[in-house]
Structure formats: structure tokens, C-alpha cells
Amino acid sequence: MIRIEPEPWAAMVAHARRAYPNECCGAMLGGSEDGAKTVREAMVLENAFAGAQAARYELRPEDLLAADRAARARKMDLIGIYHSHPDCDAYFSTTDLQNSCPWYSFVVLSIQKGEFHHANSWLPNVEQTAAAKEELIY
Ligand SMILES: [Zn+2]
């Protein structure tokens, strides 16, 4: 279960709408207790994909590392990554799976015609062959 507090959630939705029709991406900082994760802060990261960004995002390893350091400096952890799917459902694509890692929650925001539509959180397995849907509260 992952719960996103109102402030980071508003920031994530605003970021996803701003990036439309491209994909946006960012880091989710917070903590976890008894298997329940709480996102307390959203950090905007640059979509570093060199090609068309309407259906693709890429994170720089150094940006992720910086997000991890920022989290620790604020006594939080980097608990997940979010990105948007412009005019597309909030599913976890094969590319998303290939670029995933099993220790993060991956929140996907579906933005339809520039407006927020729905979101899902995904937990990829270690083999990066499948992702299970995680209960998401926002
Ligand atoms: Zn995706």
C-alpha cells in the first residue's frame, strides 16, 4: 500500500499536466511503516530521453542518486518513481518493466487530453518480467 499526501500528489499531477503531451518523471520521497508507504514529497526530475518524449521517459542515474541524497538529508527515503502516460492508460509497459527495479514503487499517472484521468502504482518483480498492482491512495 502506498499513500501519497495531498501536497506531493498535487505537485505530481501539476507536473504531469505541464509536461503534456510529453511524459514527465520524478522521484517520490517519504517513508514506510509496517509495509505501508507514505509519500511526503515529490521531486521533479528531467525526462532525459533523447528521442520523442510522448511515449518514453528516461532518468539519469545521477539524478536518481541526487534524489536519494536529498531524501536522506531530509530524513526520508527515496521510495518510488512516478511518470505520466499522455493519452494512455496507467499501465506498466514492457519498457517501464525493463527500466524498473524491484525496490521502488512505480506510480503511473494517466493524463487524457491534458487533464488527470487516473493513476496506478506498480511493484515490479526482481526478474523485471511482471509488475503487480499496489494499492494506491491519494
Ligand atoms: Zn510508462
Side-chain angles (χ1 to χ4, degrees), residues 23 57 83-85 91 93 96 108:
E23 288 197 11
Y57 82 100
H83 75 282
S84 61
H85 279 180
Y91 72 111
S93 72
D96 289 336
V108 181

Side-chain angles (χ1 to χ4, degrees), residues 81-105:
I81 306 293
Y82 71 89
H83 75 282
S84 61
H85 279 180
D87 295 322
C88 205
D89 277 348
Y91 72 111
F92 210 57
S93 72
T94 312
T95 312
D96 289 336
L97 208 45
Q98 281 162 359
N99 297 325
S100 70
C101 38
W103 52 87
Y104 293 138
S105 289

